[in-house]
Amino acid sequence: MRPAAVRGHLDALILAVLEDSPRHGYAIIEALQARSGGALDLPTGTVYPALRRLERAALLSGSWSSVAGRNRRTYTLTRAGRHALARQRAEWNEFMSVVDAVLRPAGGAS
């Protein structure tokens, strides 16, 4: 799936993979790929700017650590991030319902 296909949804996807545990940037990319069955293979140039934007918006908090001599920034969902995720899930469910109603074949047959 192309990065452009997730435009408008990337923030919610990132928040969702951080819901269960903190992760560093590359682990977030791996979690997105794993949870999507490989459909989301997003480049770092797409994910890292989104992480910085979400941190500036206080939806994530980040902290530096050193693992095997490498510095990593680990991101954790904040309380505001959890609220934003809940809101985005509700909006997504509403959107899916509307799109399903429009795309469903005429006569209601599926």
Side-chain angles (χ1 to χ4, degrees):
M1 184 173 285
R2 295 182 333 270
V6 299
R7 188 171 290 129
H9 306 289
L10 182 59
D11 292 358
L13 295 169
I14 290 172
L15 295 175
V17 299
L18 288 170
E19 184 176 31
D20 59 342
S21 66
R23 288 184 164 89
H24 59 82
Y26 187 71
I28 292 168
I29 293 169
E30 288 178 324
L32 288 166
Q33 190 171 25
R35 286 177 61 172
S36 69
L40 293 175
D41 187 15
L42 302 174
T44 58
T46 297
V47 175
Y48 283 99
L51 290 170
R52 288 190 292 276
R53 184 180 63 254
L54 291 167
E55 188 175 12
R56 281 192 310 271
L59 301 180
L60 301 179
S61 64
S63 61
W64 288 102
S65 62
S66 182
V67 178
R70 297 181 65 195
N71 289 330
R72 289 185 174 171
R73 189 146 183 88
T74 300
Y75 297 91
T76 304
L77 203 56
T78 63
R79 179 177 291 179
R82 289 185 188 283
H83 290 298
L85 177 58
R87 213 172 28 257
Q88 290 178 14
R89 278 186 173 139
E91 290 170 4
W92 174 254
N93 287 329
E94 181 181 354
F95 177 75
M96 281 191 334
S97 294
V98 169
V99 170
D100 183 56
V102 172
L103 293 180
R104 193 175 310 118
S110 27

